[in-house]
Structures are given as structure tokens and as C-alpha cells.
Amino acid sequence: MTDAYRGRGVLAKTAVESERGTRPARAEPRPDRGAAASLPASEPRAIPARLVGLSVGIVGLPNVGKSTLFNALSAQQADAANYPFCTIDPNVGVVPVPDERFDALVRLIRPRREVPATVQFVDIAGLVRGASRGEGRGNAFLAHIREVDAIAHVVRCFVDERIVHVESRVDPVADIATIETELALKDLETVGRRLERARKAAKGADPFERKAVAVCERLHERLDRGEPARGIEPADEDERRIVHELCLLTSKPFFYVANVAEAQLATLETDPLVEAVRALAAERGVPCVVICAALEAEIARLPAAERAEFLAAAGLREPGLHQVIRTGYAMLDLVTFFTAGEPEVRAWTVRRGTRAPQAAGKIHSDFERGFIRAEVMFWKDLVELGSEAAVRAAGKLALEGKDYVVRDGDVIHFRFAV
């Protein structure tokens, strides 16, 4: 049987091709045992957390605005009380990724259901000096960081005597150093334990463990100098596996979130606290997003119809949260492709470099197993020309095989046979 797909749920085409002729399409693909079921029409933008396998951890010292930021990001409200360690267990929220391409496809097609790409944010309780030795429940909180794929490091760039600072001063660069030192010390401990095991095993002439000794020694030297593990370059697949299995905290991609007071928004270009964080981010080649978390939380609580007016009054083009979400998504090295039809427009997330059959398998395991070809359009061509027929007539619809690497922004129609 040959089948086609244009959006989860009902197939857009009422008939599909087969070598024996034309056959009616199934109303809905059989659900994959490992995949989530289709979403009800009454909740067009809702998506279960279990669909999201990658996450961004929100970290920082206590009382820098992490939970306020998380509350703005997610409808799941964390306790934002004014004292350290109020967030004992990590709070998890699944957040839609703002994407003008997705919005344009929805406006063009007007589907019955919309499913945007999402990113998972995890609110991790504030770390303190000595966390690597267990201070302030540090061991538990560091374990939560180990489980995420990227880090959003929230830094306090506002002065407010009503909100205590664990170090009794506001110095964002010093705060960054405190957090990064604790992460490096924990990694040093992790690498030290692995190095000890590798040295014992290497005595038995195990070649893999000998490589582990060499890798761990390089990592240990690097961390001991105060440098993060992410700068190490594995020489081969064995070394890459060794580094990966260590799950080092300082190997994770990260970005800074400079949290300011609303009064600072008008003078961000000259604000000394913000400039200090931006300069450090530029030196390290990482993004820095500046937001007022308290204002963002207020915007998030407004009815959708009132947000544009509120943003205009605050002098903002869009909520700062959108930049936080997009930056977090980018840190995960993902690309988005789309399936688009009247039943549904959906954004699918895959790792950069994913080939067409594996992307098809993201939708349904049968699609990967019986992959025939992918009919590919670029989202902008579809939006500008107005229909698939017009894209095809303009010669901008490509037929791609198993070696095709999915581009960010592709609109794909998969054909398969099972």
C-alpha cells in the first residue's frame, strides 16, 4: 500500500497513488505505540509534555528572577516567594516557539488544527556558593541541570532593596562566576571519578579505557584551569562517546538572560550592569537576551487582545519572552519542518542534519520504514505563490530521496509504502 501525509490526523488528499491504481486514503494513520495520539480539535495549540524530548534549564542564583521568568514562559506557576530555595523540585513547562513561518502557513491554509513547535523549559532552584559540595541542596539541583540539554543562565541586573541578594550585592559578572565555578567543580569531581576507574581498567590493556584515561586527563586539566568542558574537541567516536557519557555540566550549550527592572528598559544601551553581561557574552561568543521578567509575567497574564496595546505602551515590538524561547530553541541545534493541509498545519522538530526518512519517522514509524520519497517545498515559496499547484507549476517543488537532508523551513509531503 502506498500512502501520503499532509498533517497529522486526516489526510489532505482523498486518494493516493499506488502502482496498482488509485486507492482511497486512510482517514488517519495508525498511531505509533511510542508517539502521542492526535490532539482534540478543541485544544488546537495544546501539546503534551511527553512530545518534547529536549529541554532548556533555567539556572542562576536565588532571587535573580528565574521563577518569575518561568511563570511568564509557562502557565504552570512556580512559587516565586522572596527567599532562597523556594523552588525545591524543578518545574517543567512546554512552551510554543514563536515562528512567523508557521503563522504565515496557518494564515494561508486556515487549517482546522494548529500544532506549533515547542521547547521545554525547566525551572531549577537557585544555586549558591558551595553547591558542588552540597550547600543549599546543591547536589539535587546540579543533578537537575545534568538532565537538561541546554542552559539559560538568568543574571540579576536590577537593584531592589526589597529583594535580598544571597551575596548582599548586585554584581552580575561575579554572579556568573559563582555559578560557573560551581558547575566546573562538580564536573571536576565527575571527571576525577571516571579517571580513577579508567586508570584501573587500563592496566588490563583495555584500549577503550586507555583512551578514557587520555580524555579524562585532558578534561581534568582544562577544568582545573577554570575552563569549561565544552571547549574540548574529541579526536574520534570513542572519545566523543566518553565525553558524552560523562554528561558534564559545563559541556552544555548556554546563553545569558539579563533580568532588568522596568525602569531600565529605556536606557539598556548605557546601563552598566547590562553592558557588563553583554561584554562577557560577546567575549565568550554566546547570546545574551535582556528582559524584564516582572513585566513579561504581567504581559503573559493579560488577555491576548490587550497585549499589543500594552507592548506598544512599554515601547516593545514583541514580548521579550519570544526572544528567550527562540534562543533556547536555537541552543538545542534543531530545525523545523512543516506538514501543511486543511486538517492541520504542524511544525515538527528534528536535529540538524536529519535525513528525510528519519524526519518521516518523526511523524509515524511506518513512514520511515516504507519511505519512498519526499515532495519538498520551501515555506516562503508556498506562502508567496499561494498554493502547492502554483509552487509545482513554478518548478519549485522538488522530489527528494533517502539522502535528502531536511532544511529548516521545508514543507514536506512524504510518500511511503507498507
Side-chain angles (χ1 to χ4, degrees):
M1 181 184 69
T2 303
D3 213 337
Y5 181 85
R6 296 189 194 279
R8 189 80 168 175
V10 183
L11 296 174
K13 288 185 180 278
T14 57
V16 294
E17 302 166 356
S18 77
E19 294 181 2
R20 300 178 183 176
T22 300
R23 301 181 56 179
R26 291 180 300 185
E28 185 166 350
R30 288 178 289 116
D32 184 11
R33 292 174 184 267
S38 299
L39 302 175
S42 59
E43 297 180 1
R45 289 228 180 191
I47 189 162
R50 57 197 168 93
L51 282 182
V52 182
L54 299 170
S55 58
V56 178
I58 304 174
V59 305
L61 293 173
N63 296 339
V64 298
K66 294 184 298 76
S67 292
T68 303
L69 172 62
F70 177 83
N71 290 344
L73 283 165
S74 173
Q76 181 176 331
Q77 295 295 303
D79 180 5
N82 177 26
Y83 59 90
F85 319 126
C86 64
T87 313
I88 300 303
D89 295 316
N91 293 270
V92 179
V94 179
V95 183
V97 177
D99 191 332
E100 63 178 10
R101 305 168 303 177
F102 177 83
D103 294 338
L105 290 170
V106 167
R107 287 193 299 271
L108 172 68
I109 295 169
R110 298 182 180 179
R112 294 194 292 275
R113 182 166 54 195
E114 309 162 25
V115 185
T118 61
V119 62
Q120 183 170 281
F121 281 88
V122 183
D123 180 21
I124 298 170
L127 296 171
V128 295
R129 193 182 303 278
S132 59
R133 302 188 305 274
E135 295 290 335
R137 291 178 56 110
N139 288 331
F141 300 159
L142 289 167
H144 294 153
I145 299 173
R146 200 178 301 281
E147 293 169 1
V148 302
D149 301 281
I151 294 172
H153 186 165
V154 181
V155 186
R156 177 171 172 172
C157 291
F158 64 89
V159 177
D160 189 333
E161 293 179 356
R162 298 168 299 174
I163 302 176
V164 298
H165 189 291
V166 290
E167 300 282 354
S168 300
R169 49 100 181 104
V170 177
D171 184 341
V173 174
D175 290 352
I176 289 171
T178 297
I179 295 294
E180 293 181 347
T181 297
E182 295 304 321
L183 299 183
L185 287 172
K186 195 64 179 179
D187 280 352
L188 200 57
E189 178 187 319
T190 300
V191 171
R193 288 198 303 266
R194 180 66 178 93
L195 179 57
E196 185 178 350
R197 293 200 311 273
R199 282 172 174 164
K200 290 178 180 177
K203 292 177 181 178
D206 184 329
F208 183 80
E209 291 302 318
R210 285 182 175 177
K211 280 190 177 182
V213 170
V215 172
C216 288
E217 284 178 344
R218 294 200 330 257
L219 280 167
H220 199 279
E221 290 173 5
R222 184 177 183 86
L223 291 163
D224 203 35
R225 294 194 303 266
E227 299 174 8
R230 70 181 62 86
I232 196 168
E233 293 291 338
D236 55 32
E237 283 303 314
D238 282 346
E239 289 196 359
R240 188 169 287 106
R241 175 185 158 193
I242 292 161
V243 173
H244 177 74
E245 289 176 350
L246 286 167
C247 295
L248 298 176
L249 305 175
T250 62
S251 67
K252 298 180 184 295
F254 74 102
F255 65 103
Y256 297 125
V257 180
N259 186 20
V260 302
E262 185 175 352
Q264 293 171 266
L265 291 174
T267 58
L268 292 181
E269 297 306 316
T270 57
D271 188 285
L273 297 176
V274 173
E275 281 304 298
V277 179
R278 282 176 167 165
L280 184 62
E283 178 186 323
R284 295 180 175 180
V286 299
C288 176
V289 180
V290 182
I291 65 162
C292 173
L295 182 64
E296 297 294 333
E298 190 174 345
I299 293 170
R301 287 193 294 267
L302 289 172
E306 298 178 18
R307 289 176 190 166
E309 184 179 350
F310 189 97
L311 287 168
L316 300 173
R317 290 191 305 248
E318 65 173 1
L321 291 180
H322 287 188
Q323 192 176 357
V324 173
I325 296 166
R326 284 193 289 260
T327 303
Y329 189 76
M331 288 290 100
L332 299 173
D333 198 27
L334 305 173
V335 298
T336 303
F337 73 90
F338 305 96
T339 50
E342 288 183 6
E344 178 184 276
V345 170
R346 181 185 284 247
W348 300 89
T349 299
V350 293
R351 289 282 194 186
R352 191 176 304 278
T354 297
R355 298 187 186 276
Q358 288 69 50
K362 182 81 173 180
I363 300 170
H364 195 292
S365 58
D366 283 354
F367 288 30
E368 180 176 1
R369 182 162 54 90
F371 178 87
I372 297 174
R373 67 178 182 269
E375 299 177 0
V376 183
M377 303 172 278
F378 194 58
W379 75 274
K380 198 169 186 179
D381 294 333
L382 178 56
V383 169
E384 289 180 349
L385 295 173
S387 70
E388 179 187 329
V391 173
R392 189 185 296 272
K396 293 187 175 183
L397 188 146
L399 302 182
E400 302 290 355
K402 294 182 178 181
D403 292 332
Y404 178 71
V405 176
V406 173
R407 293 177 301 171
D408 191 35
D410 277 345
V411 180
I412 306 180
H413 174 197
F414 293 106
R415 291 194 180 275
F416 70 103
V418 292

